[in-house]
Amino acid sequence: MTDHRLRMMELLAALSVTTDLGMGQPPETALRSSLLATGLARAMNLPEEDVRNARLGTLLRHIGCTATASVEARWYGGNELVSRRAAQPTDFGSPREMLQLTLGTGRGEGLRRPAKVAKVVIGDVRHGDEILRSVCDAASMLARRLGLGRAVQDCLAQQFERWDGNGPHGLAEDAVALPARVGEVATQVVLFLDAAGPDSALAMVAERAGGWFAPDVVATFKKAGPGLLAELVAADPWQALLETEPAPVAYIAESDLDGMARCFADMVDLKSSYTVGHSSEVAELTETAARTLNLSDTDVVSLRRAALLHDLGRVGVTSGVWDKKGPLTRGEWEQVRLHPYLTERILSCSATLAPLGWIAGLHHERLDGSGYHHGVSASAIPPSARILAAADTFQTATQDRPHRPAGTAEQAAEHLTAEAVAGRLDVDCVAAVIAAAGQDRPRVRREWPSALSDREVEVLRLLARGASNQQIAVRLVISRRTAEHHVQHIYTKIGRSTRAAATLYAMEHDLLTP
């Protein structure tokens, strides 16, 4: 297999949208912050290596955000995405801003005495520092796994430090890595720019000089800031981020994409203690099952990567929903149903990852049309997505969830078999996944009239709806010759020789509805 090179910045920019969702921010927030950090670092006449470190550290600033999501949801009213939006622009060194944050997130509700409110505020600062240290540690470790240099790792480890030394690790002034100092200003500027415009952003930077922000970074921003903000507002951030990348442009080998995907898979699974290891285990099951079902090597590789990334969209749903022990409300269910859509949209941001998004976004679809988010039925679900759906269902059944304990592998196999019998999961894919998990293959197959196979019933449905052999081939991701072969077999089995007769046969035996 040819090992093509892939542009690292394009991949990381797309995947950074995951962290935007995890912080309750609009897509492209991290990307635009990184672009601004690039311009600010160059305005300071920093070496290109420092420019590179500042932009990468800013782009991946929140890659560790899932490490504390559950804790934050419990601490701040059940929705960490809302509390994070409020906390991100807050100056933790300002008693006034911390009081506003505490009251705004409901932490001081019902408290009338100033002394008690102050106690809650102090507790929030200490608890916040603990959270920030955990986020920094996770971010730095994930950056190392991505193969990023020590300077980027240090930038992420120190991303919440302050010039005055009142950050979570107590580093002050020049002890804070220069790329981190640049990234801190750039990140805050984008938040204020989006919330209240450029004048607000410029005033905020000036106000925080010497406290939160390094004076030299502030001085440069005071001069270059208006121009940088005008460029940022006018630019296509995706194109600009690639055009401004310091030389030499960074690439990774195509084979290294697995490592990057596994890194982001683990980042996603950190969001809840109930899902730790989920994506990697699903990927192992899908790969083994796909080989059992004789998928090509290329399809197996793509499916493995799609499986690793299938739950990226979970980050965009609050941990208060994922960790809820009781029944979900209708609104909470709608959030859950959105997560495969979010996965698909994140991966669509990269030409390299978009084909994986198409498969990953189908992992909750069902053959009878009862799944989500597309709500499609059998003919629109390709074999790779059917394997992924079965593997995801099996692995989920073997993990604890807030509303039930983990089942055994045997119980998971029984559940999958029941789903296949009910017509929701593909029988062959279920059998392959169960075997991949080390369980006995189930002996179950839906009985169709005239001994039609599951695939032949799919072809018959498309044939009855007027699809040509070529359209059937495209829809089912098979060759035209294979489609023609299936059609002829169907005619032989049902004793008919025309499309009209086959359509009437399908109607008579109620085969048109999955």
Side-chain angles (χ1 to χ4, degrees):
M1 181 183 297
T2 303
D3 202 20
H4 301 290
R5 295 197 309 165
L6 305 174
R7 191 163 179 179
M8 176 180 281
M9 188 58 65
E10 184 236 347
L11 298 171
L12 292 179
L15 293 170
S16 75
V17 176
T18 310
T19 69
D20 291 332
L21 296 177
M23 296 303 295
Q25 294 295 339
E28 300 182 358
T29 299
L31 192 155
R32 292 166 61 239
S33 299
S34 178
L35 186 58
L36 181 59
T38 303
L40 182 55
R42 284 184 170 143
M44 296 176 67
N45 295 315
L46 299 184
E48 285 294 273
E49 188 60 27
D50 284 342
V51 174
R52 180 187 302 277
N53 296 332
R55 70 192 262 124
L56 284 171
T58 307
L59 182 68
L60 299 176
R61 176 184 179 86
H62 296 300
I63 194 175
C65 68
T66 53
T68 58
S70 290
V71 173
E72 292 178 64
R74 290 195 299 271
W75 190 261
Y76 293 111
N79 191 330
E80 82 283 5
L81 304 183
V82 171
S83 64
R84 284 174 171 180
R85 279 197 297 271
Q88 284 175 83
T90 299
D91 184 347
F92 279 35
S94 166
R96 175 181 57 81
E97 292 191 32
M98 279 304 300
L99 177 61
Q100 290 176 340
L101 176 64
T102 298
L103 297 178
T105 53
R107 294 279 298 135
E109 186 175 352
L111 300 179
R112 297 181 180 179
R113 294 183 181 180
K116 289 189 175 182
V117 174
K119 185 177 181 179
V120 173
V121 172
I122 293 171
D124 280 358
V125 172
R126 291 173 178 170
H127 190 71
D129 282 348
E130 181 181 344
I131 286 173
L132 295 181
R133 284 193 292 271
S134 297
V135 170
C136 290
D137 288 346
S140 181
M141 292 175 66
L142 290 168
R144 176 182 56 78
R145 288 180 53 186
L146 287 170
L148 302 177
R150 183 70 195 186
V152 177
Q153 296 173 42
D154 289 344
C155 179
L156 292 171
Q158 300 172 19
Q159 61 181 296
F160 298 114
E161 298 306 305
R162 298 167 54 98
W163 182 257
D164 60 12
N166 290 322
H169 290 102
L171 299 178
E173 300 184 357
D174 290 338
V176 182
L178 183 53
R181 286 180 258 156
V182 173
E184 191 74 45
V185 172
T187 299
Q188 288 296 311
V189 165
V190 168
L191 294 178
F192 276 76
L193 174 67
D194 291 348
D199 290 341
S200 173
L202 290 164
M204 176 274 300
V205 172
E207 180 181 346
R208 293 177 176 179
W212 189 343
F213 298 154
D216 58 337
V217 181
V218 172
T220 300
F221 186 77
K222 184 177 181 180
K223 296 177 183 177
L228 291 174
L229 294 183
E231 291 176 4
L232 183 65
V233 170
D236 175 345
W238 296 92
Q239 181 178 347
L241 192 72
L242 296 179
E243 290 176 347
T244 58
E245 182 174 4
V249 171
Y251 290 90
I252 65 169
E254 194 273 341
S255 56
D256 290 334
L257 187 54
D258 281 277
M260 182 178 289
R262 191 170 297 275
C263 181
F264 275 86
D266 290 346
M267 172 255 189
V268 169
D269 290 348
L270 271 179
K271 186 169 176 71
S272 170
S273 60
Y274 295 105
T275 56
V276 172
H278 169 74
S279 297
S280 293
E281 292 178 23
V282 169
E284 291 179 13
L285 287 173
T286 56
E287 179 174 8
T288 303
R291 295 195 186 282
T292 299
L293 293 171
N294 297 316
L295 267 67
S296 69
D297 288 343
T298 299
D299 287 343
V300 169
V301 170
S302 295
L303 177 55
R304 179 178 67 235
R305 293 168 179 168
L308 286 169
L309 299 171
H310 77 281
D311 263 349
L312 286 179
R314 286 181 69 95
V315 177
V317 178
T318 173
S319 290
V321 169
W322 295 124
D323 295 346
K324 186 176 180 179
K325 296 182 183 298
L328 298 182
T329 66
R330 180 179 297 182
E332 289 167 343
W333 264 115
E334 286 305 308
Q335 292 183 58
V336 169
R337 291 167 68 90
L338 272 178
H339 84 269
Y341 166 78
L342 295 174
T343 294
E344 192 171 333
R345 298 313 304 158
I346 290 167
L347 295 175
S348 73
C349 293
S350 161
T352 300
L353 301 176
L356 307 182
W358 178 60
I359 299 300
L362 294 171
H363 73 275
H364 277 295
E365 302 297 338
R366 295 296 181 260
L367 301 185
D368 63 356
S370 63
Y372 56 89
H373 66 99
H374 291 288
V376 296
S377 55
S379 62
I381 307 174
S384 52
R386 298 180 184 204
I387 297 170
L388 178 54
D392 176 66
T393 303
F394 183 96
Q395 203 286 331
T396 298
T398 62
Q399 281 191 311
D400 286 327
R401 288 296 181 265
H403 59 285
R404 58 153 178 82
T408 65
E410 292 81 3
Q411 290 171 328
E414 291 174 1
H415 173 60
L416 243 67
T417 301
E419 290 293 288
V421 170
R424 288 185 284 271
L425 293 176
D426 185 283
V427 170
D428 293 332
C429 295
V430 162
V433 167
I434 290 175
Q439 301 299 303
D440 293 334
R441 293 174 67 95
R443 296 184 178 182
V444 56
R445 180 173 292 278
R446 295 190 73 186
E447 296 295 331
W448 299 110
S450 302
L452 293 172
S453 68
D454 292 342
R455 175 62 89 184
E456 287 168 343
V457 170
E458 291 181 66
V459 173
L460 178 57
R461 287 170 181 157
L462 292 173
L463 191 69
R465 293 187 176 98
S468 66
N469 289 341
Q470 179 60 35
Q471 290 170 327
I472 291 172
V474 171
R475 193 70 180 270
L476 299 182
V477 196
I478 57 180
S479 70
R480 177 170 179 165
R481 177 174 295 182
T482 300
E484 293 172 349
H485 178 76
H486 281 314
V487 170
Q488 291 305 316
H489 264 258
I490 290 168
Y491 284 158
T492 299
K493 285 184 176 182
I494 68 176
R496 307 291 190 276
S497 59
T498 65
R499 181 192 299 269
T503 301
L504 287 171
Y505 177 91
M507 296 169 67
E508 177 186 355
H509 292 277
D510 197 24
L511 298 180
L512 294 180
T513 302

